[in-house]
Amino acid sequence: MNIQSLLQLLVSNTLIYAAPLIFTALGGTFSERAGVVNIGLEGIMVMGAFSAAIFNLAFASQFGTMTPWIGLLVGGVIGGVFSLLHAVSTIHFRADHIISGTVLNLAAPGLSVFLVRALYGAAQTGPLARPFSSQSFPVLKNIPFFGPILFQNISGPAYLGIALSFVCWFVVFKTRFGLRLRSVGEHPDAAESVGINVYLMKYYGVILSGILGGIGGAIQAQAIHNEFGILTVSGQGFMAMAAMIFGKWNPIGAMGAALFFGFAQSLARSGNYIPYIQDIPSIWLTVAPYLLTIIVLVAFIGKSEAPNFIGKTFVKSK
């Protein structure tokens, strides 16, 4: 395998595995910038993956090639609705953020697998009717050397996520909405004193995290696993959370970290074609992304500056 083919394989696989992490990490950024810890990203991804898979199987004949793209919207809506449980419990009922998120992570797999068994009589849906397929960009794919590597047979959702990362950065750091969101996560009392509805901004942050996390789960089901089952998400939500922390709660930084984790996962699939790496036992390549997640959390969580009021209970003044 020549260098161009090897790079094309690595880039393609990296983008495939990074896509769900990018969307979910962006979602976590919105929630935690608003001061709400969302450890429930894993459960939100599960519900997004479940709803997108069910939609894909049920409506593929009506929507054709657009089915997986519409499935992203369905996953986003269900993820947003599911995240409302976290929003209500932490914002209005002042529940501990970690416990509330853990409840989401425990409830989502059980609920989704129960519904899949009720619908299909098995613990998984089976192959989807219209999964995502590799795409190529006209004209750009013809650029010498870099064209085939970056723009031929690649993941469309990944490039959408990369573009969205820059949009989210602009929203968070360059708009009035972003300023209010960040002020609520840094000093909600000061934000309230100038007329900002703190509760509403926190709801916005958590619901946006649910929408983007649900889209991430939908990509995981429709682009990587091509079905929904108990192991479809299997830790990707925690990996996305690690990417968010590694990226210092910055959308572009979170996107870069997600690409790094996607590359780590791609090695398990592409390692057999890479000199030296092919000699590493496959089990080590498989667990490498999860080991990196732990290392990143241990090494960087103390050094990254989280929003000042994150995880704390805000009580609205009378």
Side-chain angles (χ1 to χ4, degrees), residues 87-301:
V88 172
S89 63
T90 56
I91 298 170
H92 269 96
F93 291 105
R94 305 170 191 170
D96 183 274
H97 297 199
I98 303 300
I99 293 176
S100 176
T102 301
V103 169
L104 295 188
N105 292 337
L106 293 174
L111 174 62
S112 58
V113 171
F114 170 78
L115 292 174
V116 167
R117 283 189 178 277
L119 292 170
Y120 300 101
Q124 59 277 332
T125 61
L128 302 183
R130 289 278 187 171
F132 277 110
S133 57
S134 298
Q135 298 176 317
S136 299
F137 288 85
V139 182
L140 293 177
K141 69 179 182 180
N142 297 324
I143 297 173
F145 188 76
F146 292 105
I149 295 173
L150 297 174
F151 303 111
Q152 184 172 313
N153 297 325
I154 49 82
S155 168
Y159 274 105
L160 177 63
I162 291 171
L164 184 64
S165 300
F166 290 92
V167 174
C168 290
W169 176 87
F170 182 83
V171 170
V172 170
F173 293 105
K174 299 296 180 181
T175 66
R176 179 181 296 180
F177 172 83
L179 177 60
R180 292 183 174 186
L181 188 78
R182 287 183 288 121
S183 69
V184 164
E186 294 290 346
H187 204 307
D189 291 314
E192 185 186 38
S193 70
V194 296
I196 296 174
N197 189 327
V198 175
Y199 283 175
L200 182 62
M201 295 308 299
K202 285 181 177 290
Y203 269 102
Y204 281 150
V206 176
I207 293 171
L208 282 171
S209 77
I211 293 171
L212 292 169
I215 291 175
I219 296 172
Q220 186 76 15
Q222 297 182 111
I224 298 177
H225 282 263
N226 191 28
E227 67 172 1
F228 175 79
I230 189 65
L231 297 178
T232 297
V233 175
S234 62
Q236 297 299 300
F238 296 109
M239 203 174 295
M241 193 170 185
M244 174 195 66
I245 295 170
F246 195 9
K248 298 183 177 180
W249 293 269
N250 183 307
I252 296 177
M255 177 266 292
L259 288 172
F260 171 72
F261 284 122
F263 172 74
Q265 292 189 76
S266 74
L267 289 179
R269 184 171 180 178
S270 311
N272 291 333
Y273 303 98
I274 303 174
Y276 303 110
I277 292 180
Q278 63 186 1
D279 298 326
I280 299 175
S282 60
I283 184 63
W284 287 108
L285 294 176
T286 301
V287 302
Y290 303 99
L291 291 176
L292 284 172
T293 301
I294 296 172
I295 292 170
V296 165
L297 288 174
V298 171
F300 290 93
I301 194 168

